[in-house]
Amino acid sequence: MDKDAHGTVSTGGVIGARRVVRWGRFVTVAAPLALVALDSAWLFLGATPVRTGVLWCSMVLLATCVVILGVVVARVGGHPRRDTYRWAVRATAVSPVPTDDSGTVPSTLAGPRWLSIRCVAVFVAVPALLALWATLVAADTRGTGRSVVLREAGAVIEQRSIVKIENEVVGHRRSGVDLTADFTVLLPSPTRKNGVPATFEASVNRLVRVGSKLYVGYVPERPELGAVGNVRRVELERQLAGRAVKVGTAWGIGGLWALVTLGPLACWWKEESPWRPTRKVTLAWRVLRVTVAGIGEHTDQQSRESADTADEQSCGEGTGRARALVLQHQERAVPFHCLTEIEAASAVLSGARGRLLWHPEQRRGRNVLAELVGDDGWHLSGAVPAQLAEEIEEAALTESASPDPERRVRTLDLGAGWLMTASAPVVVGFAVAFCCMASLLLVPDGGAWRWWTAAVGALAPVVGFIMQAMARDGHGGGGSTAAG
């Protein structure tokens, strides 16, 4: 991919940059889906061909995403977000239109589809990744080994009396006593009158003694294969089915995962989502001729704070005073809220001329949904304060829209090249996290190493982002971290 003398992506690299955009869209969709599939399979599916297929397909998808990120970084990584924004404007622009004040605007305007998808992907991927680490740490390895042999041989579950208890380890939890020990029971045998002794390790949530009964899984025709047991039948069924996480733990992690994902996502979708369907521009729309003047602050009646910290940053600061792009019309400044990194967007769009469009009745909260249509043929979705829009209309500064079916514009997706903002530390961080995840998935052994491995995997990407931010701050590269 070509760069100009200032290090920005040049016009000669548009084809390569568009390929990077397609790769970014693949990662945006593939990574959250793979994480959700891994979580769901590991929490609720037993050792079946379906879980094996989901496991390997998800790992292949995640590995592909890491490889794509590495290839992009090796070829054209480390760009400040301002450079990718500048390329997005050039790539989106179409043939210029006359810049008179006739009010001619496109007849249809589409919403920022991929910006919305990236925002949703972040809301889904982050909780799913955290839930995956918790699930892998909480995995019960007793669903492997002897349990696999018994499951394949057609084990049955019966209650058997304990004849010996050895190697007791008693712990205390909020729910009561937790006893881990080696339990011995007698399995019926057609050749031995007194039965065949079978010993297994089990954890129970109450104190038991010799003579107490446990649920035991064994093969009646082959008692020599041994047995597995538990005080709860549902847990023994889970163990024999090969499900990796205890039933209570699975539903606890799953419920918290759903709550952390769906709650914030629903609130964001209602209040902050940039998504909107393709809309027809009619004579009821209002048009205001504007010029992008830079960044400004104004008192916002509604606190605005975006949750998409990985791709786009919100214009709101959550304190009542909001930062936004300033659109200048004569002597009046109009704050334009949009989900972009505000400094980079201002540097790229300052001086651009166009028209601000909105329909007075299409609102979200205390804002009016608005579209900024540039003279170069791009359009950017956002919002303006409803009170200010009403004041502008009352001052007769706007005019009715004159939709032109022949005019074509493209949706300006400033964050489309987010892959190009990543750097080597981020790639290394995600590669380490993937290796840790693979080891936790593929190695059934339990022990403290699972906690340490999960901690390293969770912290590695964070350290990568911190190192990238420090490097850019030290070299004046804009300080914006990679999205994703």
Side-chain angles (χ1 to χ4, degrees), residues 81-443:
R81 188 171 295 179
R82 183 178 301 179
D83 289 350
T84 64
Y85 278 18
R86 184 175 292 110
W87 170 83
V89 173
R90 290 202 305 267
T92 305
V94 295
S95 300
V97 297
T99 58
D100 56 22
D101 294 327
S102 62
T104 301
V105 295
S107 59
T108 59
L109 291 172
R113 180 194 312 170
W114 279 103
L115 172 57
S116 302
I117 293 174
R118 287 197 303 275
C119 293
V120 173
V122 172
F123 276 101
V124 172
V126 173
L129 188 57
L130 296 177
L132 180 60
W133 291 124
T135 301
L136 295 176
V137 168
D140 183 2
T141 59
R142 284 171 296 191
T144 60
R146 181 183 296 169
S147 297
V148 175
V149 176
L150 295 174
R151 177 172 65 249
E152 294 176 349
V156 299
I157 298 177
E158 294 180 356
Q159 282 190 317
R160 311 299 298 180
S161 297
I162 301 171
V163 298
K164 186 190 294 186
I165 302 177
E166 299 175 305
N167 304 323
E168 298 181 49
V169 178
V170 180
H172 295 275
R173 300 182 303 174
R174 291 183 179 180
S175 57
V177 178
D178 183 14
L179 172 65
T180 301
D182 294 331
F183 299 93
T184 302
V185 298
L186 292 177
L187 303 179
S189 173
T191 60
R192 298 181 60 175
K193 183 177 181 180
N194 294 329
V196 177
T199 302
F200 53 84
E201 180 184 336
S203 297
V204 297
N205 57 4
R206 67 170 184 266
L207 289 176
V208 296
R209 58 179 61 89
V210 174
S212 300
K213 289 189 175 182
L214 294 178
Y215 287 102
V216 177
Y218 70 101
V219 181
E221 297 81 9
R222 302 179 63 186
E224 69 277 5
L225 294 177
V228 292
N230 200 287
V231 72
R232 297 178 61 197
R233 184 184 181 95
V234 65
E235 283 295 336
L236 183 56
E237 291 174 345
R238 174 199 64 80
Q239 186 175 338
L240 287 173
R243 294 205 299 276
V245 184
K246 293 182 178 180
V247 175
T249 304
W251 286 108
I253 294 176
L256 185 61
W257 172 32
L259 182 65
V260 172
T261 301
L262 298 179
L265 179 58
C267 294
W268 173 84
W269 189 265
K270 180 181 178 181
E271 300 294 335
E272 298 285 347
S273 170
W275 182 87
R276 57 199 67 172
T278 300
R279 298 183 295 169
K280 294 286 187 181
V281 179
T282 65
L283 296 178
W285 286 55
R286 311 308 302 169
V287 176
L288 185 69
R289 184 70 174 166
V290 294
T291 302
V292 180
I295 304 174
E297 285 191 359
H298 72 100
T299 302
D300 197 353
Q301 297 183 12
Q302 181 182 18
S303 174
R304 300 173 53 86
E305 184 177 13
S306 173
D308 184 14
T309 58
D311 185 9
E312 312 294 332
Q313 297 179 0
S314 174
C315 299
E317 294 183 332
T319 61
R321 292 194 59 83
R323 301 178 72 216
L325 285 178
V326 174
L327 308 181
Q328 196 73 29
H329 174 78
Q330 298 176 1
E331 299 300 323
R332 184 181 290 268
V334 181
F336 183 72
H337 295 290
C338 54
L339 286 179
T340 61
E341 201 283 318
I342 193 70
E343 284 79 10
S346 173
V348 171
L349 297 177
S350 288
R353 293 177 57 81
R355 293 181 172 83
L356 183 66
L357 291 77
W358 72 87
H359 191 293
E361 296 180 1
Q362 295 181 359
R363 301 192 178 192
R364 177 176 291 153
R366 294 172 182 170
N367 294 319
V368 175
L369 299 180
E371 308 289 340
L372 177 60
V373 178
D375 290 342
D376 291 335
W378 50 262
H379 100 270
L380 182 66
S381 297
V384 297
Q387 182 178 2
L388 181 59
E390 293 173 356
E391 293 175 357
I392 293 174
E393 290 185 51
E394 292 174 358
L397 299 177
T398 64
E399 57 188 26
S400 298
S402 300
D404 181 4
E406 299 299 323
R407 182 171 179 187
R408 296 289 181 266
V409 295
R410 295 174 181 167
T411 302
L412 177 57
D413 185 0
L414 291 172
W418 64 270
L419 276 181
M420 292 185 285
T421 64
S423 60
V426 175
V427 178
V428 173
F430 278 113
V432 170
F434 177 79
C435 293
C436 293
M437 183 204 70
S439 63
L440 291 171
L441 285 169
L442 301 178
V443 180

Side-chain angles (χ1 to χ4, degrees), residues 80-81 313 341 465 468-482:
R81 188 171 295 179
Q313 297 179 0
E341 201 283 318
F465 280 115
Q468 174 177 275
M470 292 175 61
R472 289 185 175 174
D473 287 341
H475 292 84
S480 60
T481 58

